[in-house]
Amino acid sequence: MTVSAIMPMTGFYDYSEVARSILIAIAASYAALDLAGRVTAASGRVRLAWLSGGAIAMGIGIWTMHLKGMLAFGLPVPVEYYWPTLLVGLSVAIFASAVALYVTSRPNMSRTDALTGSIVMSAGIAGLHYSLMAAMRMPAITRYSPLLVACSILLAVLFSLIALLMAFGLREETRGTVPRKIGSAIVMGIAISAMHYTGMAAASFFPGPPPDLSHTVSNAPIAGSGVVVATLLVLVAAIFTSSVDRRAHAEIRQVNQDLERRVAERTSQLEAVNQALRKEIAERERAEEALRTSEREQHRIAEQLETERARLIEAQAVAKVGSWETELPSLDITWTEQTHRIFETDPSYFHPTRPGFVELVHPEDRAKVDAAFEASLEKGAASTVKYRIVMADGRVKVLEDHWKVFHDGQGRPARLIGTCQDITERQQAEEDLRGSEDRLRLVIDTIPQQIWSGPADGSLDFCNAQWRSYTGLTLEELQGEGWQRILHPEDRERVLTSWRESVANGTPYEQEERHRRADGQYRWFLARGVPLRDSEGHIIRWYGTNTDIEDRKEADGRLRLVIDTLPALVWSKLPDGSADFLNKRFREYTGLSEEEGLGWGWMKNAFHPEDRAEEEWRAAFAAGEPFEKEARLRREDSSYRWFLLRAVPLRDETGNVIKWYGSTTDIEDRKRAEEALLEAQHKLALVARIQAMAELAATIAHEVNQPLTAIVTNASFSLRQLGGSTPNFDEVRTAITEIVNDGTRASAVISRIRGLLVKGTSRRVDLDINRTIRDVIVLLGNELSRNHVHLRTELAFNLPRVHGDPVQLQQVLINLVMNALDAMRLSTEQARNLLIRSAKNADDIWVLVQDSGPGIEPDLAARIFEPFFTTKVEGTGMGLSISRSIIESHGGHLSLVSSSQGALFEFTLPVTMNE
Ligand code: ADP
């Protein structure tokens, strides 16, 4: 184009127009800020109305500002405007305003919302601006600088964003909003203008061909001013409406708030009233309940009172108490029924009067009754009088009256009210008591016994005449602690300690103590005291007696002297056997102190350990019969001697043992002699046995020697013959025959000797086998006890006698017992028990000996009765053989019986015929 080479036209600004355009921009901005608040506060259709109205007003404002800005720019050529394009610009402005209002009136505005809003808005503003530029019709060509165009659009985006943020921040109605809104509107107005004028600066105008001026309007200043005025009017109207509406709205809100506050106040008042009402109702219910309870309570009290009254009347009747009233000064008397009953008058006939009453009083007491009556009236005081009344039949009753004086308003006595009690029985009882007390005192004083009593603290406040006369002291001198002066100085400490103990513990007191007589001499007394307790067990008083035991003491002393000097060990024991006295000799002999010997100490401390058979002794004491036992007592030098202890019971009248008395005799010598004798007997028996054996052996040797020599000779000859080269068998046979004959002869010799042994000394008598058994036990007793054999005998009573040789039968028994002993000695571990039993069996006497030894092997059982069979080193093997011969010679039988334990031998003996 050629035109392009031409210089651009120089434009100029009408600065008053510029100022007006800025003013419009500020006014439009203010309207925008104000309208955003309105749109936010409204809702529904109103909101739509505000939104569209606001958008139109704002759009017109913005459009007008732009138009004004364009009109403020002058060119050297005439400029016309194509009005359809102007209208397009206006609608764009309204649309952009609607978007802006919509964005800022929403409850929240996010960053994206703000950004999108500002872009749409700036696009609108840019659209408006450049469409207005496009509406220009003039003889010039318009060129744009792209940099400035971009700059103007950026500014449009930036200012739109700022405008949105400001409108959003200011939409709420707060104090000081209007100045802030004006400030913001100025900033926004200037900003919008800045964008517009930057956009204008981006355009350059070059001279060009004349434009088509159809549908154009010129920019005549008046027209421009008309647009401005109309716009301002629209804006002002919009702001005014908005503010009126806002105020109305605010007022409505205020009213609403007031209403709500009042409703709340009213509600809370109502609630308070309600609560008070509820409380009141509850209170009333409670009160009603209390009322009901108290009514019930009153009812109950009334009933109780009624019962009490009935009980009182009853009690009065029982206690024989009546009451009366006397009016003053008329002296009118009223009696209750009970009073009538006391006076034995009939209430329907007898009306008591003063003279009538005095008539009934015992003549001797009338003056007293009158005096009491007068005195009480004079002083106006209560009074009591005891008097007698005389009944029609002459009986006398004792009464006691109490009364009180009641005064009228002027202080004058108006009436007497009193009670009247029949105390006849009580009076009688008191008199009886006094009488019996006097009698008791007389008894106490004349009793031949010292009697005393005192309070719980152990002092003395009473003692009878006996004690006073014994001590020669008065009650005043003895009472309290005074009695202590009569104690013997040696007893004093012991007595007081013991008495204090009794008083402290409430235990009965009993002591032997010496009391000083009036003449200064001391005598022994047994003092006893017992406490009297109340129902709760507290001690009320102590009562005691002192019994003179001087004579008994003296006798005791003498007896003790005698017993102590007796040359015997003497003791006394309680029923159970515990010693309560051991004489001096006993103590000296055993070296025991009194404490060591008393109780069961006499056994534990003085008996030989093997003899301390407490159970046996207790059993003997319990049996209650006199008994004696032997035991070894230890002497002071620790040697033991045998004693025979004898005990005899002392019985009371019912036969119960109350004491045991005993003596002890030294039997050591007798014991020794017995033992020596037994030893001797035993030795004798053994010697006899050995001697018998020796004799037997000698006889055997003598008798058997000859055949034995012949046997040996013949046997030697036979051996020689058989050892030679040509034995003579005939001679050998003869020699052996000789040997057989000699052997038979030797055997016959032995049999004969045994028979001799059995029969030779035989001396038959009728004897008691039990006696023989006992003799053997005595003979071997020592042997048995030395070997700790426990012997048991079961001997039948009343056995018939047997005819036999006592010595031979003894020998059989000795043999059996000694064999048993030998066998049991082999087994050291076991208890050694030996049983000897006798019994009657049909026509036989039957004796059995059983031991607890190892017994006899069955294969040996057949051989033990063979002569010379022995299993013992020093045995002869003849015992059982001889025993069997002896028993068989008596017509009996000796055998070994199989037994579960040990060996069991038994023999029988025929009973004597003539029995
Ligand atoms: P000795 O006594 O001299 O041996 P006896 O004829 O009296 O002769 O006894 C023979 C044997 O019988 C004894 O050696 C012994 O083995 C056995 N005997 C006898 N009595 C008993 C017994 N009570 N217990 C066990 N063995 C016995």
Side-chain angles (χ1 to χ4, degrees):
M1 280 213 302
T2 47
V3 183
S4 60
I6 299 169
M7 283 291 287
M9 291 183 274
T10 342
F12 58 89
Y13 280 101
D14 174 347
Y15 288 105
S16 70
E17 285 291 332
V18 169
R20 251 171 261 151
S21 80
I22 291 175
L23 192 70
I24 292 172
I26 290 170
S29 295
Y30 188 89
L33 291 174
D34 197 59
L35 287 166
R38 279 332 302 144
V39 177
T40 309
S43 63
R45 271 203 207 142
V46 181
R47 181 178 159 86
L48 191 65
W50 272 114
L51 189 64
S52 37
I56 290 167
M58 250 178 85
I60 291 175
I62 296 171
W63 179 78
T64 311
M65 177 262 149
H66 273 267
L67 192 62
K68 207 68 195 148
M70 305 276 283
L71 294 182
F73 186 65
L75 279 176
V77 289
V79 180
E80 293 285 308
Y81 288 90
Y82 184 66
W83 61 265
T85 313
L86 285 183
L87 287 183
V88 170
L90 178 64
S91 51
V92 169
I94 291 173
F95 172 74
S97 299
V99 169
L101 276 182
Y102 176 74
V103 169
T104 51
S105 68
R106 289 197 340 173
N108 299 310
M109 186 171 73
S110 68
R111 279 187 197 175
T112 347
D113 287 348
L115 210 61
T116 321
S118 62
I119 288 171
V120 172
M121 229 179 114
S122 55
I125 291 171
L128 166 70
H129 180 76
Y130 290 104
S131 66
L132 285 191
M133 295 282 277
M136 287 172 96
R137 292 289 183 270
M138 54 190 170
I141 293 162
T142 314
R143 292 246 177 97
Y144 292 101
S145 143
L147 181 70
L148 284 175
V149 170
C151 206
S152 77
I153 289 173
L154 267 182
L155 277 175
V157 174
L158 185 67
F159 288 132
S160 296
L161 188 61
I162 290 168
L164 286 178
L165 291 175
M166 277 181 167
F168 188 81
L170 285 170
R171 63 190 193 163
E172 300 294 336
E173 213 63 36
T174 49
R175 266 188 350 120
T177 310
V178 176
R180 280 179 63 203
K181 260 189 207 162
I182 292 173
S184 303
I186 292 170
V187 171
M188 266 169 80
I190 292 173
I192 291 168
S193 306
M195 191 225 77
H196 169 76
Y197 290 108
T198 315
M200 289 295 283
S204 314
F205 301 94
F206 294 92
D212 171 15
L213 290 177
S214 58
H215 303 296
T216 57
V217 284
S218 76
N219 68 346
I222 291 160
S225 297
V227 171
V228 169
V229 170
T231 303
L232 281 178
L233 277 177
V234 168
L235 285 177
V236 167
I239 291 167
F240 179 73
T241 322
S242 155
S243 93
V244 167
D245 180 68
R246 188 164 45 238
R247 204 160 305 142
H249 197 81
E251 261 166 30
I252 287 168
R253 210 165 50 202
Q254 183 65 36
V255 167
N256 268 346
Q257 271 174 0
D258 274 3
L259 205 64
E260 265 168 28
R261 188 172 45 75
R262 283 227 288 283
V263 167
E265 262 171 24
R266 196 74 197 128
T267 314
S268 76
Q269 272 170 7
L270 275 177
E271 228 156 62
V273 169
N274 214 353
Q275 212 150 358
L277 208 63
R278 268 206 298 274
K279 216 153 123 192
E280 206 180 300
I281 290 169
E283 207 94 299
R284 189 168 306 160
E285 271 171 7
R286 220 171 299 143
E288 276 170 8
E289 179 57 36
L291 195 67
R292 274 197 294 279
T293 319
S294 99
E295 270 168 10
R296 274 202 299 275
E297 185 66 3
Q298 270 175 17
H299 188 68
R300 203 178 56 76
I301 288 171
E303 269 178 5
Q304 215 168 329
L305 273 177
E306 193 50 43
T307 346
E308 285 302 318
R309 214 172 68 85
R311 224 179 272 163
L312 190 69
I313 290 172
E314 212 174 289
Q316 279 196 350
V318 171
K320 297 191 178 171
V321 182
S323 44
W324 51 263
E325 242 181 276
T326 303
E327 291 292 332
L328 294 175
S330 65
L331 291 183
D332 257 356
I333 298 177
T334 324
W335 280 0
T336 59
E337 217 173 289
Q338 183 60 29
T339 314
H340 276 291
R341 222 171 281 154
I342 291 170
F343 282 87
E344 298 180 13
T345 50
D346 189 335
S348 33
Y349 297 108
F350 182 82
H351 181 73
T353 57
R354 184 77 195 163
F357 161 70
V358 172
E359 192 69 8
L360 290 170
V361 176
H362 194 288
E364 286 175 16
D365 294 345
R366 280 175 195 162
K368 176 163 81 171
V369 171
D370 274 340
F373 186 70
E374 297 300 336
S376 145
L377 275 187
E378 209 164 283
K379 291 191 200 125
S383 185
T384 298
V385 69
K386 205 177 342 177
Y387 59 99
R388 288 165 293 174
I389 55 172
V390 186
M391 300 289 98
D393 58 4
R395 272 176 304 121
V396 172
K397 282 188 181 178
V398 185
L399 305 186
E400 193 172 66
D401 279 17
H402 294 278
W403 68 86
K404 238 176 135 175
V405 184
F406 290 86
H407 298 89
D408 62 12
Q410 279 82 47
R412 283 180 308 231
R415 72 163 66 91
L416 305 179
I417 298 179
T419 60
C420 159
Q421 186 177 16
D422 181 350
I423 58 164
T424 318
E425 281 169 20
R426 195 179 83 193
Q427 193 81 5
Q428 190 59 42
E430 276 173 12
E431 266 167 31
D432 289 353
L433 190 69
R434 264 200 299 281
S436 56
E437 263 178 10
D438 287 346
R439 278 196 297 281
L440 192 66
R441 195 164 295 269
L442 197 70
V443 170
I444 288 171
D445 276 344
T446 44
I447 216 167
Q449 170 83 283
Q450 297 178 3
I451 293 174
W452 50 267
S453 79
D457 66 1
S459 62
L460 182 135
D461 63 3
F462 168 78
C463 63
N464 71 345
Q466 288 286 337
W467 200 13
R468 294 198 300 270
S469 78
Y470 173 83
T471 55
L473 297 171
T474 62
L475 177 59
E476 285 66 42
E477 285 166 316
L478 285 168
Q479 72 186 6
E481 315 267 271
W483 58 277
Q484 293 173 7
R485 73 180 75 178
I486 63 162
L487 292 173
H488 192 286
E490 282 173 18
D491 300 343
R492 202 182 148 82
E493 180 114 7
R494 169 176 61 87
V495 167
L496 292 183
T497 312
S498 166
W499 174 234
R500 270 181 220 124
E501 244 170 52
S502 282
V503 168
N505 303 330
T507 48
Y509 173 80
E510 182 166 331
Q511 282 288 318
E512 292 184 353
E513 51 197 56
R514 279 163 288 183
H515 291 176
R516 195 181 58 220
R517 204 161 58 182
D519 62 4
Q521 254 202 354
Y522 283 95
R523 285 180 73 79
W524 277 100
F525 282 85
L526 174 66
R528 285 208 181 95
V530 285
L532 174 75
R533 295 170 191 275
D534 63 12
S535 56
E536 276 160 36
H538 301 304
I539 294 174
I540 310 169
R541 282 187 77 75
W542 284 89
Y543 289 94
T545 58
N546 301 329
T547 313
D548 190 329
I549 53 164
E550 179 69 23
D551 299 341
R552 201 199 80 194
K553 266 276 188 200
E554 215 177 317
D556 273 4
R558 274 202 296 274
L559 190 65
R560 207 186 167 101
L561 195 70
V562 171
I563 290 172
D564 275 346
T565 45
L566 265 181
L569 312 187
V570 176
W571 45 263
S572 76
K573 297 197 167 103
L574 300 176
D576 71 340
S578 56
D580 64 348
F581 169 73
L582 302 169
N583 79 341
K584 200 166 158 209
R585 250 190 84 78
F586 192 113
R587 283 179 274 127
E588 278 172 359
Y589 180 82
T590 55
L592 295 182
S593 68
E594 217 153 347
E595 290 74 51
E596 286 168 328
L598 295 183
W600 282 87
W602 53 274
M603 176 174 286
K604 286 181 189 121
N605 298 326
F607 272 35
H608 190 283
E610 285 174 17
D611 299 340
R612 286 176 201 159
E614 192 173 323
E615 289 311 307
E616 257 173 54
W617 277 82
R618 278 188 189 275
F621 281 118
E625 292 300 324
F627 66 91
E628 43 182 65
K629 283 184 181 292
E630 292 179 1
R632 279 160 287 181
L633 283 185
R634 200 191 51 213
R635 226 170 34 189
E636 206 186 1
D637 61 5
S638 296
S639 64
Y640 285 96
R641 285 179 76 81
W642 278 99
F643 279 84
L644 176 69
L645 293 105
R646 283 206 186 85
V648 183
L650 175 74
R651 297 170 191 283
D652 64 8
E653 52 282 2
T654 59
N656 289 331
V657 176
I658 47 174
K659 259 281 161 62
W660 285 92
Y661 289 101
S663 67
T664 307
T665 320
D666 188 331
I667 52 162
E668 179 68 21
D669 297 342
R670 198 191 83 195
K671 267 278 190 203
R672 284 268 161 80
E674 265 178 24
E675 272 171 21
L677 185 66
L678 275 179
E679 185 81 357
Q681 274 174 340
H682 174 64
K683 278 184 186 149
L684 205 63
L686 286 181
V687 166
R689 217 167 152 218
I690 291 163
Q691 206 174 352
M693 289 299 143
E695 277 170 15
L696 184 70
T699 316
I700 293 167
H702 179 73
E703 296 279 337
V704 178
N705 214 14
Q706 195 268 324
L708 279 180
T709 314
I711 287 167
V712 170
T713 313
N714 277 323
S716 308
F717 169 75
S718 301
L719 284 174
R720 268 200 312 279
Q721 278 294 317
L722 292 172
S725 50
T726 51
N728 182 341
F729 286 106
D730 286 342
E731 281 186 18
V732 171
R733 186 173 297 115
T734 314
I736 292 174
T737 312
E738 287 275 305
I739 290 172
V740 172
N741 289 342
D742 280 337
T744 313
R745 200 147 51 88
S747 173
V749 166
I750 288 166
S751 292
R752 205 179 66 243
I753 292 168
R754 205 171 60 197
L756 267 177
L757 209 69
V758 173
K759 290 194 189 94
T761 53
S762 200
R763 183 174 58 88
R764 304 288 169 98
V765 290
D766 280 344
L767 57 88
D768 172 7
I769 194 73
N770 283 349
R771 171 91 204 262
T772 314
I773 294 171
R774 278 195 209 101
D775 287 345
V776 169
I777 292 170
V778 170
L779 269 174
L780 299 182
N782 231 12
E783 198 70 18
L784 292 175
S785 67
R786 209 174 47 221
N787 285 293
H788 308 290
V789 173
H790 181 254
L791 171 68
R792 193 153 60 91
T793 54
E794 289 175 11
L795 307 182
F797 283 113
N798 299 326
L799 280 182
R801 291 174 166 263
V802 291
H803 195 65
D805 182 334
V807 176
Q808 282 185 346
L809 292 178
Q810 248 183 39
Q811 216 175 333
V812 170
L813 279 163
I814 288 175
N815 203 38
L816 292 177
V817 171
M818 288 306 284
N819 273 349
L821 197 59
D822 289 342
M824 288 191 293
R825 262 203 298 243
L826 292 176
S827 51
T828 45
E829 297 294 318
Q830 279 172 355
R832 298 172 177 176
N833 295 317
L834 181 64
L835 171 67
I836 304 177
R837 195 198 239 169
S838 67
K840 181 155 176 338
N841 181 16
D843 294 337
D844 293 330
I845 296 283
W846 177 69
V847 176
L848 176 150
V849 177
Q850 183 175 22
D851 62 56
S852 62
I856 296 158
E857 295 289 325
D859 50 333
L860 291 185
R863 300 184 57 199
I864 54 170
F865 291 101
E866 284 175 10
F868 303 116
F869 175 82
T870 181
T871 56
K872 302 168 191 168
V873 182
E874 290 181 344
T876 61
M878 289 301 288
L880 286 176
S881 162
I882 291 173
S883 296
R884 179 171 259 183
S885 301
I886 290 173
I887 294 300
E888 281 171 357
S889 77
H890 279 74
H893 189 72
L894 169 65
S895 56
L896 171 71
V897 183
S898 71
S899 117
S900 59
Q901 199 213 352
L904 199 171
F905 287 91
E906 66 172 38
F907 64 83
T908 57
L909 289 170
V911 173
T912 312
M913 278 310 145
N914 55 7
E915 278 195 48

